[in-house]
Every structure is written in C-alpha cells, then in structure tokens.
Amino acid sequence: MPRTSPPADQVDRTAQADQRADTSLSHGLKQRHLSMIALGGVIGAGLFVGSGAGIAAAGPSIVIAYALSGLLVMLVMRMLGEMSAANPASGSFSVHAERAIGPWAGFTAGWSFWFLLCVAVGLEGIGAAKIMTGWLPGTPEWAWVALFMLVFCGTNLAAVKNFGEFEFWFAALKVGAIALFLGIGVLAITGVLPGTDAPGTANLTGDGGFLPNGSEGLVVGLLASVFAYGGLETVTIAAAESEHPVQGVAKAVRTAMWRIALFYIGSMAVIVTLVPWNDPKVVEKGPYVATLDHLGIPAAGEIMNVVVLVALLSAMNANIYGASRMACSLVGRGQGPAFLGRTFGGVPRTAVLVSSVFGFGCVLLSYWRPNDVFMWLLNMIGAIILVVWIFIAVSQLLLRRRTEREAPQTLVVKMWLYPTLTWLALAGMAAIFVLMAREPDTRTQLYYTGGLTLALALVGYVRQLSARRAEPGV
C-alpha cells in the first residue's frame, strides 16, 4: 500500500519542483480578478438550468439540500484555502496531495481533475452552441463549438491577464443577474413588486407539503445540488499567478463563504416560495426563467438565455485555464510528458492547445459515438469532483499538523474546529457516495469514476515505485 506520509526529502523535492513550475508562469492576475474568479466560479449553468431537476425531485426541501451541500462545499473550500494560502501552487490540491500522501496521490488527483475539466469544456461548448442555434436556426452546432474553442484557446494562449479580464467581466454579469433576480424575488415575496401579491407560504406547504416526495426526493435533490458547486477550485489554481498569492487566496476564500449561501440557497428559497415546485416550466425552461415568467417579467426567457450563455462561456474559459495549469504543474513535478510543461512568455501554450483539442475531441465524439464512447466519458467524470474533495480533506488532515510544527506563520487561513470539521466533511463525502450507490442513475457514474480513479492510482503508484528504485542508494 502507498505510504500515507512521504519522507521529508520527497516533500522538499515536491515543493522545489512546483516552485520551479510556478516561477516559469507569469503573475498577471490582480486581486479583483481573483475575487471575481472565486465569485463567478460558483455561478454556473448548473445553477441556472440544472437546478430545475433538483426542485422537481425534492420540492421546497431543495433549500435544505442546497444548504447541506453548501455547508460541505464551504468546509472543502476552507480546507483548500488553508493549504493554498500556506503553499500557493498552480497545481493546488494535486500539490497538497503529493506533499501529504505521496506522488501517487498527486498524480491521481491532478490527472483526474484535468480529465474532468477537458470533458467539461466540450459539454459547455455543446450547451452554448445549442443556445446559438436556437437564435440562428440552420447553423451547425459544431461550427459554434469550434468558434468558441478558438476564441478561448486564443485567450488562454495570450497573457494570463487576458483570462483574468474575461473572467472578471463574465463573473460581473453573472453576479449582476443573480443580484437582480434576488432583488426582484424579495420584492415579489413581500408583495411590493407592482402587479404581484405576496404568496405567503402557499407554495412551501401546498402540493404535497415541504417534502412532497419524502426523503427519497430530498436525496435526489441533494445529489443534484452537490455537483452544481463545481468550479470553486479554480481560484486556488489561479492564485499562483497573482501579484500577491497568499493574500489573494486568503481573501478570495473568506469572501466566497457567505456568497455561496446567498446565491445558491437564497435563490432556491426565492424560487420555491414564488413558483409551485411541480410547475412543468421549472424543468422545461429552467427555474429562473419559470420564476420570471410567473412574475410577468417581459422577455424573461431571452434574458436568461443570455445569462446562461455567459455562464457556459465563462466555464469554458476557466476550465481551459485550469486544465492547462494543472497539466503544467504535473509535468513540473515529473508526473507527465515534458512537452506539456513548456511555457512561452509565462504561458503553458502547449498545455492550453492539448487541453483545448481534447475538449473539442469530446464534442466530436458526441456526434460520432453518442451512445457508447461519449456516454463512457460522461459517466467517468460523474463523481470526480467528490474524489478531488476527498484528497483535499485527507491532505489537510495530514498537512495541518506538519505546518503547525514546521511553519506555523504560514497558517493565515485556518480550518474551523480542526480536526473535527475535517472528519465531519469526510463523513459527509462518504455519505454522498453511499447515496449515489443507492440511486440507479448515479450508481453507473460511481462505477465508471471509481474505475478511472483506480486506474490512475495504480499508474501513479507504479511510477512512484519506479522513481524510488531509480534513486541513488536505493
């Protein structure tokens, strides 16, 4: 079995290798970029559209589902923030896993996340293309995907500040849309919005009550809500390329906490208070469009389509960035092919190109092999984010004691009630795995993700043994 505590000289080599990788990158991101990346990273198309399926399953109790999953995400983000502020690295949790557990763990966490981001880039491109073909019927979807890929590949091939600027304005639009939605919703709930009456608790307690489908419906809603929170990890990857990495990641992590509660839990509460949970439009049009339509807001559908398009394009941009930096960091630590780590002008352009091509390849597979190869890809990424969160929690559990002993001054962000809440978070992740195994739709994803994770772990462990045997005196 892999040792759980790598030797000190191995930890030093990991730190030195990652420092060399990060030194070759530019540092063009400003604090405003990091703050918006942290903020925009939690606002994706999964919230605007995908949350409808969760509401249809859980009813008004979706608020509880998002509160529970949001609490777990806050704990994960706090743990990741603690480690990233103490040791800013473009490899983020992959570096922390390697330092805490061993090279096999860094290899597994890093490459599984790279795979997730690349496939997600393709999915987001397909989603954005569907919106464009809805506006311009007769235009081919693949052409729109190719155009978006070229734009964001070009953005990421240039200086990192271009990525930062794109994300800043994308995030600003998404935040503005959510804030406006919440404002309108509160006015409608209180009966202040012209032409509306205060709904009271009719939608929360009617049509089957707060738990219309019982605990099973709540479980389905919980699983749907967990995977809507993906994207928070990008800010700790980007922090390594900011002007002040330690201060930047510390501030971004702290401010992300209450925003999660406000944007996700707050908007779910507004939706289920204003609209009957079993309204077919909640799934057909998405919960935000259904709510605005219910309130008689003109052109609600088209307005939200613009917002969803921006959310998808923002995610494409961020995922190409995150995938390229993760690949660059892995190569810098000897965990991948050397050509991927080449930087030009402080940008890992080869990694950007390879990540973009892989993503576009996934899009082509959705046309060529939609029922087998493409579905395998989708199932393999189904639970990767949970695997990454487990690596984050275990790494923080091990690194916290080491950091307190060796460099306590670097703990500028601390996990609350350590180690109690870390263990509680791990228990929550284990519970989600159990719930996924119970549901037929998510059980398949669990199997495929498990297979991919085990394969990567095996390759990583074999590489670790080979490297150890090659060391002088071994």
Side-chain angles (χ1 to χ4, degrees), residues 1 63 83 96 111 132 139 148 170 256 277 292 297 307 340 359 365 386 405-406 446 453 456 469:
M1 288 295 291
V63 177
M83 295 184 291
H96 308 322
W111 284 117
M132 296 304 300
T139 55
F148 296 143
F170 278 153
W277 66 271
L292 294 176
I297 305 297
V307 175
L340 276 178
L365 286 172
L386 273 176
R405 185 175 63 250
E406 298 172 0
L446 198 59
T453 303
L456 287 172
R469 289 180 185 135

Side-chain angles (χ1 to χ4, degrees), residues 386-425:
L386 273 176
V387 173
V388 167
W389 289 355
I390 287 174
F391 275 116
I392 289 171
V394 173
S395 300
Q396 191 270 337
L397 202 61
L398 297 172
L399 287 177
R400 173 65 175 267
R401 289 195 181 94
R402 188 186 304 167
T403 306
E404 286 179 331
R405 185 175 63 250
E406 298 172 0
Q409 72 281 0
T410 63
L411 287 171
V412 295
V413 176
K414 289 186 178 183
M415 178 60 180
W416 306 297
L417 296 177
Y418 170 84
T420 304
L421 287 184
T422 302
W423 282 112
L424 183 63

Side-chain angles (χ1 to χ4, degrees), residues 42-53 55 62 66 174-185 228-229 259-272 274-276 279-308 311:
V42 301
I43 306 172
L47 173 63
F48 290 120
V49 179
S51 53
I55 293 172
I62 192 69
Y66 269 89
K174 291 188 289 184
V175 170
I178 285 281
L180 183 60
F181 176 83
L182 289 173
I184 292 172
Y229 283 107
R259 289 164 174 171
I260 291 174
L262 177 64
F263 292 143
Y264 274 81
I265 304 169
S267 58
M268 288 301 108
V270 165
I271 291 166
V272 295
L274 290 173
V275 182
D279 186 335
K281 293 180 182 177
V282 170
V283 176
E284 293 170 7
K285 295 185 175 183
Y288 290 80
V289 174
T291 303
L292 294 176
D293 276 344
H294 183 77
L295 296 176
I297 305 297
E302 291 309 310
I303 293 170
M304 287 309 301
N305 268 339
V306 172
V307 175
V308 172

Side-chain angles (χ1 to χ4, degrees), residues 27-227:
H27 292 78
L29 294 178
K30 301 181 183 299
Q31 179 58 49
R32 66 183 179 89
H33 294 144
L34 278 188
S35 296
M36 275 298 186
I37 290 170
L39 188 52
V42 301
I43 306 172
L47 173 63
F48 290 120
V49 179
S51 53
I55 293 172
S61 69
I62 192 69
V63 177
I64 303 299
Y66 269 89
L68 291 173
S69 55
L71 177 60
L72 177 60
V73 171
M74 287 183 190
L75 295 178
V76 171
M77 195 62 188
R78 189 74 183 188
M79 288 184 274
L80 184 55
E82 176 186 292
M83 295 184 291
S84 297
N87 179 42
S90 60
S92 185
F93 51 83
S94 173
V95 172
H96 308 322
E98 183 165 339
R99 293 177 67 238
I101 307 168
W104 73 272
F107 180 92
T108 306
W111 284 117
S112 62
F113 192 68
W114 178 85
F115 182 78
L116 167 65
L117 293 185
C118 290
V119 175
V121 165
L123 293 176
E124 287 140 5
I126 293 170
K130 288 185 183 300
I131 293 176
M132 296 304 300
T133 54
W135 288 337
L136 299 169
T139 55
E141 279 188 14
W142 67 266
W144 285 111
V145 178
L147 175 62
F148 296 143
M149 283 286 185
L150 285 173
V151 169
F152 294 118
C153 182
T155 299
N156 280 279
L157 287 172
V160 70
K161 66 179 181 181
N162 289 355
F163 158 76
E165 283 299 319
F166 264 96
E167 279 308 290
F168 179 86
W169 293 109
F170 278 153
L173 194 150
K174 291 188 289 184
V175 170
I178 285 281
L180 183 60
F181 176 83
L182 289 173
I184 292 172
V186 170
L187 292 177
I189 289 171
T190 56
V192 177
L193 189 71
T196 62
D197 296 321
T201 60
N203 293 322
L204 297 175
T205 57
D207 297 315
F210 191 73
L211 273 165
N213 294 318
S215 59
E216 286 298 314
L218 178 60
V219 166
V220 174
L222 178 63
L223 292 176
S225 66
V226 166
F227 299 105

